[in-house]
Structures are given as C-alpha cells and as structure tokens.
Amino acid sequence: LQGVNLDVETADFLALMGPSGSGKSTLLNLIAGIDKPSAGTIEIAGVNIANLSEGELADWRAANVGFIFQFYNLMPVLNAFENVELPLLLTNLSRSQRKAHVTAALEMVSLSDRMDHYPNELSGGQQQRVAIARALVTDPALIVADEPTGDLDRVTAGEVLDLLDELHRHLGKTIIMVTH
C-alpha cells in the first residue's frame, strides 16, 4: 500500500471494496495492528499504533479490536463457549466474569443453545456467529471483518450482515469490513 489516507469516525460502518490483490486485507491488518507499516502512521483514537512495541501492540489489540475472519479461525478441539472465551484468557477477569461475558456474547448472536457444540457440529453460519461472538466478547470499540460472508450462502451471509448492522446501530461499534 502506498499513499493511503483514511479517516474513519467513531461508530462508522465502512466497507473496503476492490478486486483481489488490491490491498484490502493488508489495510485491514494494518488498522487492526496485525501488520506493522514500513512507513507512515496509523493513528487510532489518538494512539499511533505504528510506534507501539510488540507487547504494547498486543495489549492495545486485546483491549480495542475484535477481528472476524472469513474462515472463522475456530479451534476445532474447543467448543463454542471455549472458542469465544479465548480472548478473555488474556485478561484479569475471574472465571465467573468470563462465563458471564461469553454467555452474553453467545446470546447476542443467538447461539446460547449451541455453546457446548464443537465447530464440526455447527453449520458455516453458526461457526461465523461463534467467530463474531469471539470478536465481541472483550467489548472492543473497533470490529474489523475480513470477508465475513465470503464462505457463506446468500441467506446466511445476509444474516451475518444484519448482525453486523445491529452491532453498529445498537451498540455503536465502529466496523471496518473488507468485501468484494
């Protein structure tokens, strides 16, 4: 990427669109602090994340960013509850606090009845909703979604987009989504 200048306001819902290979996912990874720029700055809520050390960046990401991947990135040996709980294991929350957060996140995506199911026991849409719950469980201000509907049928993709829209409208989440 070269010469990119992008301003995103708090509580915006932004779609980055373009052909394959145009740098959409790279830009998303830079915004989320997954990749570091070779030049320039990335300022989010007054913090230039390009200047943070790896440890500081990991802490910043954990506190501020929820990431939704196209292919879910769920751990196959963990059930839905445990997959959603993963980001909370990096916090100082007690077991009961983690349970409350995970339960609330799974309820938000209408999967509280599937929390004991493993990824291979869930449909693609249910797996994506588990991934969304995992992105939400830390209550991040920013949600970045890399092709969150790319592996889903049209109906399920519509449900996922409706859920993201609800998060934006009702919870004021800033959402940056990559799509074709």
Side-chain angles (χ1 to χ4, degrees):
L1 297 174
Q2 293 181 346
V4 175
N5 187 356
L6 175 67
D7 289 320
V8 180
E9 297 295 324
T10 300
D12 273 356
F13 191 145
L14 178 72
L16 301 174
M17 299 173 66
S20 293
S22 63
K24 301 179 304 293
S25 293
T26 299
L27 180 57
L28 199 67
N29 288 342
L30 288 165
I31 292 168
I34 293 171
D35 292 341
K36 284 196 130 188
S38 55
T41 61
I42 302 171
E43 188 173 307
I44 300 177
V47 176
N48 182 358
I49 65 170
N51 289 339
L52 299 178
S53 70
E54 287 302 322
E56 291 169 330
L57 192 55
D59 290 343
W60 176 85
R61 248 190 331 266
N64 295 285
V65 180
F67 206 105
I68 302 170
F69 300 93
Q70 177 179 355
F71 298 111
Y72 325 131
N73 286 4
L74 300 178
M75 301 294 294
V77 298
L78 301 178
N79 62 33
F81 182 96
E82 294 163 334
N83 267 287
V84 174
E85 184 184 31
L86 277 175
L88 296 178
L89 297 176
L90 302 173
T91 70
N92 294 326
L93 294 175
S94 69
R95 178 184 290 260
S96 63
Q97 290 171 315
R98 289 194 315 267
K99 182 177 181 179
H101 284 247
V102 172
T103 301
L106 285 168
E107 284 175 3
M108 197 175 303
V109 299
S110 303
L111 282 178
S112 55
D113 62 331
R114 308 291 272 174
M115 67 175 57
D116 294 328
H117 289 73
Y118 290 85
N120 68 345
E121 299 172 325
L122 301 170
S123 70
Q126 289 170 330
Q127 289 181 52
Q128 187 61 296
R129 291 198 324 249
V130 170
I132 292 169
R134 183 185 54 204
L136 294 175
V137 75
T138 60
D139 194 25
L142 173 62
I143 297 171
V144 292
D146 194 359
E147 299 275 1
T149 61
D151 197 39
L152 303 174
D153 62 76
R154 183 177 298 273
V155 171
T156 307
E159 291 170 359
V160 167
L161 289 174
D162 288 345
L163 177 58
L164 291 173
D165 186 52
E166 186 176 319
L167 295 170
H168 168 249
R169 289 181 191 269
H170 297 290
L171 297 180
K173 299 295 181 188
T174 303
I175 300 175
I176 303 174
M177 177 178 73
V178 163
T179 184
H180 280 90

